[in-house]
Amino acid sequence: MTNALSMLGIFSDAPNEIEGKDYFVEKDGVKFAGTHLLLDLWGASNLIDPELIDRALRDAAEAANATILHSHFHHFGPDGGVSGVLVLAESHISIHTWPERDFAAIDIFMCGACNPYHSLPVLKDVFEPKTITLSEQRRGLIP
């Protein structure tokens, strides 16, 4: 069977034991796919360096005990923003930055034993926002 990512020139060092694993979780008697945090960071800094942003998202994923599969970031010019995603076995962390507005939008979607809330201190330390708006969604609720 052909690996779709390898056809794109993207390879993963992820361990094979993640295949076939059920990542649905149960909290408070409710079963669901995972927790999706949406963060708006206002008054933020460090929003134009894709390497720094990649490292920040990797550190955030590790703090949440997630398995990193792949990352991809696009820089919109020397003073422009960055859009990117860190693909996880447990889902993803994505970011879009607007340095001209000192703003970043970050999604953290994790399932399994990961705790996306453990990512927050890492992101606060790197981006130093003055204000954070946070919302949580439980995705894939099982009726």
Side-chain angles (χ1 to χ4, degrees), residues 17-86:
E17 67 261 13
I18 63 174
E19 293 179 20
K21 190 172 181 182
D22 182 6
Y23 286 95
F24 269 65
V25 297
E26 184 172 347
K27 291 183 184 170
D28 307 320
V30 178
K31 289 186 180 184
F32 56 99
T35 303
H36 196 162
L37 301 181
L38 303 177
L39 290 87
D40 287 349
L41 283 66
W42 290 100
S45 58
N46 299 317
L47 302 177
I48 63 172
D49 182 348
E51 290 178 9
L52 179 128
I53 293 171
D54 179 38
R55 182 76 259 153
L57 269 57
R58 286 176 180 275
D59 290 347
E62 290 171 4
N65 200 33
T67 307
I68 299 168
L69 300 177
H70 174 72
S71 66
H72 179 77
F73 293 86
H74 179 79
H75 192 200
F76 294 95
D79 295 321
V82 174
S83 288
V85 64
L86 189 67

Side-chain angles (χ1 to χ4, degrees), residues 41-47 99 101-104 127-131:
L41 283 66
W42 290 100
S45 58
N46 299 317
L47 302 177
R101 296 190 182 267
D102 299 326
F103 174 71
F127 299 113
E128 304 172 331
K130 290 182 176 44
T131 305

